[in-house]
């Protein structure tokens, strides 16, 4: 079993506006940069190998948290939200009405027009997880972490998640030889550098 610490990138302007970002390559906001500069990981994760999504917001977060030598992993890129990118969930529900509700009710198989489903995110994640050789840290996105959480808890995403994740913390999983994540510890607080 390989330890894997998962961290969501810091805040962007679109995060602050609650817009779906998907593959739109938005950098961290000043708030995001400031928060990540002030944070550090608990010492027990020293020596872990770093990976980051290719998107700027994840790479910047890795660098600010101490993962300057991170490896970019395409598999960690955010879920493709297709036509939904740039909108809030509320705006999408107003725009698409019953069609949106039906799509959301599909859980891991929900799929935006021109985008990908959480189930498809899982399909691209498993080979990456299976190939991990050493304790690792990944800096990625909420959609990817939710897909990982779905695998770890056998959660089909049609109802409320079995465990609440604080998106400003880190989450530790153990990855088995088949690339399946097992929850070890969630909501690990980042420490203050001050």
């Amino acid at each position: 079993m390989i330890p894997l610490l998962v961290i969501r990138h810091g805040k962007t302007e679109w995060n602050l506006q609650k817009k779906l970002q998907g593959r739109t390559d938005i950098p961290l906001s000043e708030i995001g940069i400031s928060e990540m500069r002030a944070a550090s990981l608990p010492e027990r994760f020293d020596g872990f190998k770093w990976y980051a999504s290719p998107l700027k917001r994840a790479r910047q977060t890795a660098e600010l948290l101490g993962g300057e030598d991170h490896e970019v992993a395409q598999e960690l890129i955010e879920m493709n939200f297709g036509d939904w990118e740039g909108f809030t969930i509320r705006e999408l529900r107003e725009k698409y009405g019953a069609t949106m509700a039906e799509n959301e009710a599909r859980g891991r198989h929900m799929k935006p027009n021109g985008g990908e489903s959480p189930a498809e995110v899982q399909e691209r994640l498993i080979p990456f997880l299976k190939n991990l050789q050493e304790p690792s840290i990944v800096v990625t996105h909420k959609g990817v972490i939710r897909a990982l959480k779905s695998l770890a808890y056998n959660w089909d995403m049609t109802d409320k998640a079995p465990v609440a994740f604080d998106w400003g913390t880190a989450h530790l999983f153990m990855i088995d030889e088949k690339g399946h994540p097992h929850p070890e510890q969630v909501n690990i607080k980042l420490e203050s550098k001050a």
Side-chain angles (χ1 to χ4, degrees):
M1 299 274 267
I2 303 288
L4 178 69
L5 188 71
V6 180
I7 302 165
R8 184 188 184 196
H9 62 78
K11 295 182 179 94
T12 69
E13 289 299 332
W14 277 21
N15 287 138
L16 298 171
Q17 297 168 38
K18 300 190 181 300
K19 291 181 178 182
L20 295 176
Q21 292 171 106
R23 303 285 174 84
T24 306
D25 201 5
I26 297 171
L28 294 180
S29 65
E30 288 303 315
I31 291 171
I33 290 169
S34 176
E35 288 178 350
M36 290 300 109
R37 271 199 185 125
S40 65
L41 296 181
E43 224 174 79
R44 66 182 163 134
F45 302 111
D46 287 356
F48 277 39
K49 180 175 174 69
W50 285 79
Y51 294 92
S53 155
L55 297 176
K56 286 177 200 161
R57 55 195 186 265
R59 294 192 338 261
Q60 286 178 293
T61 299
E63 289 164 8
L64 291 167
L65 287 176
E68 297 89 353
D69 60 347
H70 67 271
E71 187 175 315
V72 171
Q74 191 66 32
E75 299 90 342
L76 300 175
I77 197 167
E78 176 61 301
M79 181 172 147
N80 183 348
F81 285 105
D83 291 349
W84 296 0
E85 290 195 19
F87 293 94
T88 66
I89 294 293
R90 182 179 176 181
E91 287 169 341
L92 291 168
R93 286 174 179 157
E94 288 172 4
K95 182 176 180 177
Y96 294 112
T99 305
M100 183 70 180
E102 288 166 14
N103 205 344
E104 286 183 280
R106 298 175 67 208
R108 0 180 268 116
H109 299 287
M110 169 195 73
K111 187 170 180 173
N113 189 34
E116 77 185 316
S117 68
E120 289 169 323
V121 174
Q122 292 170 342
E123 286 171 19
R124 68 172 152 89
L125 269 181
I126 290 172
F128 170 82
L129 299 173
K130 193 174 180 179
N131 288 324
L132 290 174
Q133 300 293 313
E134 59 191 299
S136 300
I137 296 166
V138 301
V139 181
T140 187
H141 309 270
K142 186 175 179 180
V144 174
I145 298 171
R146 288 183 85 243
L148 187 69
K149 182 179 180 179
S150 168
L151 285 171
Y153 290 95
N154 197 25
W155 170 48
D156 69 4
M157 302 174 94
T158 59
D159 55 5
K160 191 175 177 181
V163 175
F165 276 25
D166 175 344
W167 298 109
T169 64
H171 313 285
L172 183 64
F173 297 89
M174 299 301 286
I175 309 301
D176 67 25
E177 65 283 351
K178 293 180 179 175
H180 190 85
H182 301 269
E184 182 73 14
Q185 184 182 0
V186 301
N187 301 327
I188 301 166
K189 291 191 184 302
L190 302 182
E191 296 177 350
S192 173
K193 284 181 184 164

